[in-house]
Amino acid sequence: MPVEEFVAGWISGALGLVMGYPFDTLKVRLQTQNTYRGITDCMAKIYHHESILGFFKGMSFPIASIALVNSILFGVYSNTLQVLTATSHQDQRAQLPSYTHIFIAGCTGGFLQASSVLSNVEALPPAKSESRVQPGSPPPKYRGPVHCAATIFQEEGPRGLFRGSGALMLRDTPTLGFYFVTYEGLCHQYTPAGQQPSSTTVLVAGGFAGIASWVTATPFDVIKARMQMGGVNQRAYKGMLDCIVTSFWQEGLGVFFRGFTINSARAFPVNAVTFLCYEYLLRVWGYSHRPPGCRCPSLPLNSTLFPASSPSFSRSCFPVLSWPSDYSAASQTAAPPSLLLASSAEKRGKGYAWPLDATYYSTLQPGFGLPSASDFKDVPEIEGASEDP
Ligand SMILES: C[N+](C)(C)CCCC[C@H](N)C(=O)O
C-alpha cells in the first residue's frame, strides 16, 4: 500500500489548518452562540476582547489531529481508488477514473476519517467557542481542546467524546465524495491530456472542491456543532432528530445554513493550499513519472514489460530514459524524441523514471520493437525512483 499519500495528506492537512483556523473560530462561535450580529461583529468582538490570538485559540491540538485526519482522508481515498480502478495515481491523470469510482473512494475516505475519534475530538467546539465576550463572565470551563476532551471523558465517559459523531459521519461521507469528484473533474477539464495539472489548476480545482463539499456539508455541520456543544443555552438535545427539530422550530430553516458564508470563504484558501501541497509533495517525491509537459499516454505501472525477476529490474526500479533537453510539448507530436536509455551516471541525473510500456512504444515509435530485458542490463538503478505500488 503506497504510504506517500498518507504522508502528503498529513503535511498538506497541517498547512490547510493554519490557513483556515481563524475562519473556524468565527464559524463555531456564530453557529453556537446568539450574541453576534454577523461575521464582522463577531470578528470585531473577538479581536477586541481577545486580540488576534483569540482567532488561533486552541490550535496546537488540531494541528496534530487535523493533519492525521487529513492523512487518513487522502491516503484512504487514493488507495481505494487504486484498488477500484487498478491504476496508480499518475495513471489516473492520463485516464480519468469514472466519477462513480472517484465518488466511492471519496466517501470511503470521508467515512473513515469521520469515524476516527480524533476527528471528533478535534472538532469539539466547546474548546473553541468559550466566549469571554461579556465582561465579568465566569472564566472558560475548558482550558483547551485536550482539557476539554479530558473533562468530557471524565464527566460522561467515552460516549461523551462521540457525541455528534453520527452527524459528523453524515456530514463527511457524501460530501467528501463530492469533494474529490469536483477536484478531479476540474483538474481533468483544464489539463491537456497526459499532462500534470498546473499549479493554478490545482489551486482553483482544490478551492472549488472545498466549496462544493462545504456547501453540501453545512446543515450537518450546524447539527454536529450543536450536539457537541450539548445544546445552545444549556439545553442538551436528546438525539440528532431532536436537535434538528428543536433548532428548526426555535430558529427557522435558516439555522441550518448558519456559517454558510464563512464555510465557503474558508473552504477556498484552505483546500487550494491543501491540494497544491499534496500534489507538489507527491511530485517532488518522484511520484509522477512523466517528464514535465509530456503528453504521452501511459499504462498502469504493473503492466511493466519486465518481469520482476529480470536481472536489472525490480518492481521498484524502472528503466531510465533520458530526454533531449529541447524536448518540448510541441516536438512530441511532430517527431517522437529519440529515447535513449540512460546508461551512464551522467545521463542518470537528467533521466526520469518511466515505466516502459507497450502502448507507449507502439504509439510513438512504430516499428521500434519492444525492448527486452537484456537491452537494459547495463542501466543503473536510479536513486529516488518511485516505487511500484
Ligand atoms: C466534508 N467537509 C466539508 C465537512 C470537510 C471537508 C474537509 C476538507 C478540508 N480538510 C477542510 O477542512 O476544508
Side-chain angles (χ1 to χ4, degrees), residues 147-314:
H147 179 234
C148 168
T151 314
I152 293 180
F153 187 84
Q154 255 171 14
E155 289 173 356
E156 302 169 51
R159 282 195 58 177
L161 292 182
F162 281 98
R163 200 160 12 126
S165 64
L168 184 69
M169 259 167 216
L170 282 174
R171 186 195 77 169
D172 284 3
T173 306
T175 55
L176 283 164
F178 299 135
Y179 183 64
F180 287 106
V181 165
T182 312
Y183 176 72
E184 300 289 359
L186 286 175
C187 276
H188 185 73
Q189 190 69 32
Y190 295 102
T191 306
Q195 283 188 23
Q196 297 287 343
S198 68
S199 311
T200 319
T201 307
V202 169
L203 281 171
V204 173
F208 280 110
I211 291 187
S213 103
W214 275 107
V215 160
T216 42
T218 299
F220 279 109
D221 190 50
V222 174
I223 297 160
K224 183 208 63 117
R226 292 183 159 222
M227 294 194 58
Q228 285 185 321
M229 283 296 284
V232 175
N233 304 332
Q234 318 312 318
R235 186 202 180 289
Y237 301 109
K238 287 198 282 292
M240 197 152 63
L241 202 64
D242 180 39
C243 175
I244 298 175
V245 173
T246 317
S247 304
F248 175 70
W249 280 124
Q250 290 177 348
E251 295 158 77
L253 196 62
V255 71
F256 298 117
F257 296 95
R258 273 214 216 164
F260 183 84
T261 320
I262 195 112
N263 269 346
S264 311
R266 169 197 171 281
F268 196 94
V270 169
N271 293 288
V273 164
T274 303
F275 271 106
L276 186 69
C277 174
Y278 178 75
E279 293 277 355
Y280 177 80
L281 288 175
L282 289 184
R283 276 181 222 182
V284 166
W285 294 335
Y287 203 69
S288 163
H289 300 263
R290 250 159 276 158
C294 179
R295 292 209 210 125
C296 321
S298 92
L299 279 187
L301 286 188
N302 49 13
S303 68
T304 173
L305 293 169
F306 314 102
S309 57
S310 113
S312 325
F313 297 100
S314 65

